[in-house]
């Protein structure tokens, strides 16, 4: 209930990555499963989510900095 739009976005990307990884693993495509995890971590999480979180954490709103 207290998730920001950025938090909701990363959760949706995580769910998509999990589904794609599961599908690749059921087809025994281990390289594809690893690529999905790698792409999620570096492209969505590290490149976008952490950078967006920095803005929120460095701002003046103390409530936004508090853990959910």
């Amino acid at each position: 209930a207290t998730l920001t739009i950025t938090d909701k976005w990363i959760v949706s990307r995580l769910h998509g990555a999990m589904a794609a990884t599961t599908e690749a693993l059921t087809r025994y495509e281990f390289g594809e499963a690893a690529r999905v995890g790698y792409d999620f971590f570096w492209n969505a999480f590290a490149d976008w989510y952490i950078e967006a979180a920095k803005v929120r954490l460095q701002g003046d709103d103390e409530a936004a900095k508090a853990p959910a």
Side-chain angles (χ1 to χ4, degrees), residues 11-47:
V11 169
S12 72
R13 294 296 302 250
L14 176 60
H15 285 225
M18 290 169 49
T21 300
T22 301
E23 183 179 331
L25 289 174
T26 59
R27 293 188 316 251
Y28 299 101
E29 295 177 353
F30 302 113
E32 177 64 14
R35 186 196 62 74
V36 169
Y38 181 90
D39 285 348
F40 168 78
F41 182 78
W42 288 110
N43 296 335
F45 185 75
D47 284 350

Side-chain angles (χ1 to χ4, degrees), residues 1-14 49:
T2 61
L3 295 178
T4 66
I5 190 78
T6 309
D7 295 337
K8 291 177 184 178
W9 175 81
I10 197 66
V11 169
S12 72
R13 294 296 302 250
L14 176 60
Y49 184 70

